[in-house]
Short mmCIF file of all heavy atoms in Angstrom, two decimals:
data_model
loop_
_atom_site.label_atom_id
_atom_site.label_comp_id
_atom_site.label_asym_id
_atom_site.label_seq_id
_atom_site.Cartn_x
_atom_site.Cartn_y
_atom_site.Cartn_z
N MET A 1 63.21 -53.16 98.56
CA MET A 1 62.39 -52.91 99.74
C MET A 1 62.16 -54.18 100.56
O MET A 1 61.48 -54.15 101.59
CB MET A 1 61.04 -52.33 99.32
CG MET A 1 61.13 -50.97 98.64
SD MET A 1 59.55 -50.40 97.97
CE MET A 1 58.57 -50.28 99.47
N GLY A 2 62.72 -55.30 100.08
CA GLY A 2 62.56 -56.56 100.80
C GLY A 2 61.18 -57.16 100.67
O GLY A 2 60.77 -57.97 101.51
N GLU A 3 60.44 -56.80 99.61
CA GLU A 3 59.07 -57.28 99.46
C GLU A 3 58.90 -58.22 98.26
O GLU A 3 57.79 -58.61 97.92
CB GLU A 3 58.12 -56.09 99.28
CG GLU A 3 58.10 -55.16 100.49
CD GLU A 3 57.23 -53.94 100.25
OE1 GLU A 3 56.67 -53.83 99.14
OE2 GLU A 3 57.10 -53.11 101.17
N LEU A 4 59.99 -58.59 97.63
CA LEU A 4 59.91 -59.45 96.45
C LEU A 4 59.82 -60.91 96.89
O LEU A 4 60.69 -61.41 97.61
CB LEU A 4 61.13 -59.24 95.55
CG LEU A 4 61.11 -59.99 94.22
CD1 LEU A 4 59.99 -59.46 93.33
CD2 LEU A 4 62.45 -59.85 93.51
N ASP A 5 58.75 -61.57 96.47
CA ASP A 5 58.60 -63.00 96.75
C ASP A 5 58.04 -63.69 95.51
O ASP A 5 57.77 -63.06 94.48
CB ASP A 5 57.70 -63.24 97.97
CG ASP A 5 56.34 -62.56 97.83
OD1 ASP A 5 55.93 -62.27 96.67
OD2 ASP A 5 55.68 -62.30 98.85
N LEU A 6 57.83 -64.99 95.61
CA LEU A 6 57.37 -65.77 94.47
C LEU A 6 56.00 -65.30 93.99
O LEU A 6 55.73 -65.22 92.78
CB LEU A 6 57.32 -67.25 94.82
CG LEU A 6 56.89 -68.20 93.69
CD1 LEU A 6 57.85 -68.10 92.51
CD2 LEU A 6 56.83 -69.64 94.21
N SER A 7 55.13 -64.96 94.94
CA SER A 7 53.79 -64.49 94.57
C SER A 7 53.86 -63.20 93.77
O SER A 7 53.14 -63.02 92.77
CB SER A 7 52.96 -64.27 95.84
OG SER A 7 51.72 -63.69 95.52
N CYS A 8 54.74 -62.29 94.17
CA CYS A 8 54.91 -61.01 93.47
C CYS A 8 55.43 -61.25 92.05
O CYS A 8 54.94 -60.63 91.09
CB CYS A 8 55.87 -60.12 94.25
SG CYS A 8 56.16 -58.50 93.47
N ILE A 9 56.41 -62.14 91.93
CA ILE A 9 56.98 -62.44 90.60
C ILE A 9 55.91 -63.03 89.68
O ILE A 9 55.82 -62.67 88.51
CB ILE A 9 58.17 -63.40 90.75
CG1 ILE A 9 59.32 -62.69 91.47
CG2 ILE A 9 58.64 -63.90 89.38
CD1 ILE A 9 60.48 -63.60 91.80
N LYS A 10 55.09 -63.96 90.22
CA LYS A 10 54.03 -64.56 89.42
C LYS A 10 53.04 -63.51 88.94
O LYS A 10 52.62 -63.51 87.78
CB LYS A 10 53.30 -65.62 90.25
CG LYS A 10 54.07 -66.92 90.40
CD LYS A 10 53.40 -67.84 91.41
CE LYS A 10 51.97 -68.14 91.05
NZ LYS A 10 51.33 -69.03 92.04
N ARG A 11 52.66 -62.60 89.82
CA ARG A 11 51.69 -61.56 89.45
C ARG A 11 52.26 -60.63 88.37
O ARG A 11 51.53 -60.21 87.47
CB ARG A 11 51.30 -60.74 90.67
CG ARG A 11 50.41 -61.45 91.65
CD ARG A 11 50.20 -60.64 92.93
NE ARG A 11 49.36 -61.33 93.86
CZ ARG A 11 48.03 -61.23 93.90
NH1 ARG A 11 47.42 -60.44 93.03
NH2 ARG A 11 47.31 -61.88 94.78
N LEU A 12 53.54 -60.34 88.46
CA LEU A 12 54.14 -59.40 87.52
C LEU A 12 54.41 -60.02 86.16
O LEU A 12 54.13 -59.40 85.11
CB LEU A 12 55.46 -58.87 88.09
CG LEU A 12 55.37 -57.91 89.28
CD1 LEU A 12 56.75 -57.65 89.86
CD2 LEU A 12 54.72 -56.60 88.86
N PHE A 13 54.94 -61.24 86.14
CA PHE A 13 55.47 -61.78 84.89
C PHE A 13 54.60 -62.85 84.25
O PHE A 13 54.62 -63.01 83.01
CB PHE A 13 56.87 -62.35 85.12
CG PHE A 13 57.90 -61.31 85.43
CD1 PHE A 13 58.30 -61.06 86.73
CD2 PHE A 13 58.46 -60.54 84.41
CE1 PHE A 13 59.24 -60.09 87.02
CE2 PHE A 13 59.40 -59.58 84.68
CZ PHE A 13 59.80 -59.34 85.99
N LEU A 14 53.86 -63.61 85.03
CA LEU A 14 53.08 -64.71 84.46
C LEU A 14 52.06 -64.23 83.43
O LEU A 14 51.96 -64.81 82.34
CB LEU A 14 52.41 -65.52 85.57
CG LEU A 14 51.65 -66.78 85.10
CD1 LEU A 14 52.61 -67.72 84.36
CD2 LEU A 14 51.00 -67.49 86.29
N PRO A 15 51.28 -63.17 83.70
CA PRO A 15 50.31 -62.72 82.69
C PRO A 15 50.98 -62.27 81.38
O PRO A 15 50.46 -62.52 80.30
CB PRO A 15 49.60 -61.54 83.37
CG PRO A 15 49.83 -61.74 84.82
CD PRO A 15 51.17 -62.38 84.95
N VAL A 16 52.14 -61.60 81.50
CA VAL A 16 52.84 -61.12 80.31
C VAL A 16 53.34 -62.31 79.50
O VAL A 16 53.24 -62.34 78.25
CB VAL A 16 54.01 -60.20 80.69
CG1 VAL A 16 54.72 -59.68 79.44
CG2 VAL A 16 53.52 -59.03 81.53
N LEU A 17 53.87 -63.33 80.19
CA LEU A 17 54.36 -64.54 79.50
C LEU A 17 53.21 -65.27 78.82
O LEU A 17 53.33 -65.69 77.66
CB LEU A 17 55.05 -65.46 80.50
CG LEU A 17 55.55 -66.81 79.95
CD1 LEU A 17 56.58 -66.60 78.85
CD2 LEU A 17 56.12 -67.67 81.08
N LEU A 18 52.08 -65.41 79.52
CA LEU A 18 50.92 -66.09 78.94
C LEU A 18 50.40 -65.33 77.72
O LEU A 18 49.99 -65.94 76.72
CB LEU A 18 49.82 -66.24 79.99
CG LEU A 18 50.09 -67.26 81.11
CD1 LEU A 18 48.95 -67.23 82.14
CD2 LEU A 18 50.25 -68.66 80.54
N ALA A 19 50.38 -64.01 77.81
CA ALA A 19 49.94 -63.20 76.68
C ALA A 19 50.85 -63.43 75.47
O ALA A 19 50.38 -63.59 74.33
CB ALA A 19 49.92 -61.72 77.06
N PHE A 20 52.15 -63.47 75.72
CA PHE A 20 53.12 -63.69 74.65
C PHE A 20 52.89 -65.05 73.98
O PHE A 20 52.88 -65.16 72.75
CB PHE A 20 54.53 -63.60 75.23
CG PHE A 20 55.63 -63.77 74.22
CD1 PHE A 20 55.99 -62.71 73.40
CD2 PHE A 20 56.30 -64.97 74.08
CE1 PHE A 20 57.01 -62.85 72.46
CE2 PHE A 20 57.32 -65.13 73.16
CZ PHE A 20 57.67 -64.05 72.34
N LEU A 21 52.68 -66.08 74.80
CA LEU A 21 52.46 -67.42 74.26
C LEU A 21 51.16 -67.51 73.49
O LEU A 21 51.08 -68.14 72.43
CB LEU A 21 52.47 -68.45 75.40
CG LEU A 21 53.81 -68.62 76.13
CD1 LEU A 21 53.66 -69.57 77.31
CD2 LEU A 21 54.89 -69.12 75.18
N LEU A 22 50.11 -66.86 74.00
CA LEU A 22 48.81 -66.90 73.33
C LEU A 22 48.86 -66.16 72.00
O LEU A 22 48.28 -66.61 71.00
CB LEU A 22 47.74 -66.28 74.23
CG LEU A 22 46.28 -66.51 73.79
CD1 LEU A 22 45.95 -67.99 73.84
CD2 LEU A 22 45.32 -65.72 74.67
N ILE A 23 49.57 -65.05 71.97
CA ILE A 23 49.74 -64.30 70.71
C ILE A 23 50.48 -65.17 69.69
O ILE A 23 50.11 -65.21 68.51
CB ILE A 23 50.49 -62.98 70.96
CG1 ILE A 23 49.59 -62.02 71.74
CG2 ILE A 23 50.93 -62.33 69.65
CD1 ILE A 23 50.32 -60.79 72.27
N GLY A 24 51.50 -65.86 70.14
CA GLY A 24 52.23 -66.76 69.24
C GLY A 24 51.36 -67.89 68.75
O GLY A 24 51.43 -68.29 67.58
N LEU A 25 50.49 -68.42 69.63
CA LEU A 25 49.61 -69.53 69.26
C LEU A 25 48.62 -69.10 68.19
O LEU A 25 48.35 -69.83 67.23
CB LEU A 25 48.87 -70.04 70.50
CG LEU A 25 47.90 -71.21 70.29
CD1 LEU A 25 48.66 -72.46 69.85
CD2 LEU A 25 47.12 -71.48 71.56
#
């Protein structure tokens, strides 16, 4: 749709990545 930008990627993936790292910690 031409709406993908850095802000969208951060919102989608950053929380999931942080959760994964925190679970590992």
Side-chain angles (χ1 to χ4, degrees):
M1 296 173 63
E3 298 176 359
L4 185 65
D5 55 22
L6 182 60
S7 174
C8 180
I9 293 173
K10 284 171 57 180
R11 288 173 180 271
L12 289 171
F13 292 100
L14 185 58
V16 181
L17 176 61
L18 289 176
F20 182 79
L21 294 175
L22 192 64
I23 290 169
L25 180 65

